[in-house]
Amino acid sequence: MLGFLKGDPRKKLQKEYEKKLTEALHYQRNGDLRTYSTLMEEAEAMYAKLQEMDKK
């Protein structure tokens, strides 16, 4: 009945994905490549989940 009040899980994940990419870019520019690579791995996992959601 009040389903419109629930957030869209895809939108939430998309927002987190974009935030993770921005954070990774910041670390890359500052020369912390270890943290950058860790954040990019997490972002790639989020991207894979987004792709799965699109298929459904």
Side-chain angles (χ1 to χ4, degrees):
M1 184 170 152
L2 297 176
F4 66 91
L5 294 176
K6 290 185 179 180
D8 183 16
R10 191 197 185 294
K11 275 187 176 181
K12 183 179 178 183
L13 187 59
Q14 178 71 33
K15 196 172 200 178
E16 290 176 16
Y17 171 70
E18 290 171 3
K19 183 178 178 184
K20 190 71 67 174
L21 288 178
T22 304
E23 189 178 354
L25 179 65
H26 171 74
Y27 280 104
Q28 182 186 26
R29 287 183 178 169
N30 288 329
D32 189 358
L33 297 180
R34 184 170 300 191
T35 305
Y36 164 75
S37 65
T38 303
L39 291 172
M40 285 305 293
E41 285 179 11
E42 293 172 7
E44 288 175 7
M46 287 181 183
Y47 184 73
K49 287 180 185 178
L50 285 168
Q51 294 299 317
E52 286 179 23
M53 288 179 170
D54 287 342
K55 288 181 182 178
K56 292 182 181 178

